[in-house]
Amino acid sequence: MAEVFRGPQLAAELAARLLHPGVLDEGLRSGLVISGLRRTGKTTFLRTDLVPELEAQGAVVSELTARRNQAFADATSLPYPVLDQPYVRHVLQRLRDEGMEPLPSEEAAWTSFQALGHRPEEFLRALGQLRASASSGLAPDQLLPVIAATLRGSAADLELLKVEQIGGLATAIFDRVARSDGPARGIFSAEAAAAYGEAIGREVRVEEIQPVVNELLGANVLMRLGHGLYGVSDPFAQEIWRERQG
């Protein structure tokens, strides 16, 4: 399974826009920020598709490491399209070529890939567990969704554990952000402090909130979406949290 699923069409389009920006792409002269869900293949795409395409078109590419949650000023942000059914088809064909049997149907594999947030790493882990459970007696189309649901919960648990380790106030702040429909605002307000205090059973001063939010940002549990706007970095964690809280 070492072969990488390639995205040459997207790479060629972005390279052309970066090297020859049109009127609507002037912001690209200040930089490009590719945004999207975590662990959905962005870094692999950059290394195996976009950088080689830029170099093939004569660009000199150097790596730059930026602070987490901090984008370039005036840079253009483009959403990274998540991998879709052709990727699932590619993986199944690779497994077929390697002689793995029995395989799940494309429909069951696609449904499981969606349940796992279109994340290649989690999808491959699920298929690995499926292969290890070949003697269970269950059909792959029955077993793979169960494995995917279990991995989905486990991935979220790792993120939620970070919140618990920071403390009770962090949990109350995360809860407010996770329950918000859309970007959360007002998380530093007096009203928010009162709600946090009620949740953890003690008075919370407004000045206590910022350091805890900074810890949540540093742990990449929360992300800053704009001035005074916050969201949960991992949609898995947010979905599982909301399901469990009811």
Side-chain angles (χ1 to χ4, degrees):
M1 293 300 299
E3 182 178 319
V4 175
F5 182 72
R6 309 305 295 267
Q9 185 174 346
L10 178 61
E13 177 189 338
L14 289 180
R17 293 177 65 182
L18 280 166
L19 299 177
H20 312 287
V23 175
L24 299 180
D25 291 325
E26 285 298 318
L28 290 172
R29 297 186 185 278
S30 300
L32 169 66
V33 177
I34 297 180
S35 60
L37 303 180
R38 292 163 55 190
R39 301 198 298 274
T40 54
K42 296 187 298 298
T43 301
T44 299
F45 167 74
L46 287 171
R47 290 175 176 169
T48 64
D49 290 298
L50 184 55
V51 169
E53 179 64 28
L54 286 167
E55 291 174 338
Q57 294 192 28
V60 177
V61 182
S62 60
E63 292 189 6
L64 177 64
T65 303
R67 272 189 69 185
R68 185 179 293 159
N69 295 310
Q70 189 174 52
F72 300 106
D74 302 322
T76 296
S77 178
L78 296 177
Y80 177 72
V82 294
L83 294 171
D84 53 15
Q85 205 153 354
Y87 170 75
V88 172
R89 194 174 302 128
H90 165 82
V91 171
L92 291 178
Q93 184 58 53
R94 289 281 297 158
L95 291 173
R96 196 172 292 114
D97 292 343
E98 291 179 2
M100 177 177 167
E101 291 183 356
L103 283 173
S105 66
E106 184 177 318
E107 180 181 0
W110 169 238
T111 300
S112 297
F113 185 55
Q114 290 176 296
L116 290 167
H118 297 256
R119 294 177 171 179
E121 182 181 342
E122 301 295 339
F123 182 56
L124 295 178
R125 184 175 291 117
L127 289 168
Q129 290 189 18
L130 178 67
R131 177 163 51 189
S133 305
S135 61
S136 67
L138 292 175
D141 282 12
Q142 293 178 295
L143 188 55
L144 184 59
V146 175
I147 293 173
T150 302
L151 288 178
R152 177 176 175 267
S154 297
D157 285 339
L158 291 175
E159 294 300 306
L160 298 178
L161 180 61
K162 296 178 187 178
V163 179
E164 294 174 6
Q165 290 175 335
I166 296 174
L169 180 53
T171 301
I173 294 170
F174 179 85
D175 180 68
R176 186 181 183 94
V177 176
R179 288 178 181 272
S180 177
D181 294 323
R185 62 184 72 230
I187 67 172
F188 302 103
S189 66
E191 179 272 327
Y196 303 149
E198 185 176 348
I200 65 176
R202 69 167 179 82
E203 181 183 359
V204 172
R205 302 186 307 276
V206 171
E207 57 268 26
E208 292 181 66
I209 302 172
Q210 184 70 68
V212 177
V213 170
N214 289 343
E215 286 192 70
L216 290 168
L217 291 171
N220 205 22
V221 174
L222 294 185
M223 57 182 175
R224 188 176 288 109
L225 301 174
H227 182 68
L229 302 177
Y230 294 84
V232 177
S233 299
D234 191 335
F236 267 5
Q238 183 170 16
E239 290 172 10
I240 294 292
W241 179 267
R242 294 176 73 155
E243 288 172 8
R244 292 174 180 174
Q245 301 304 310

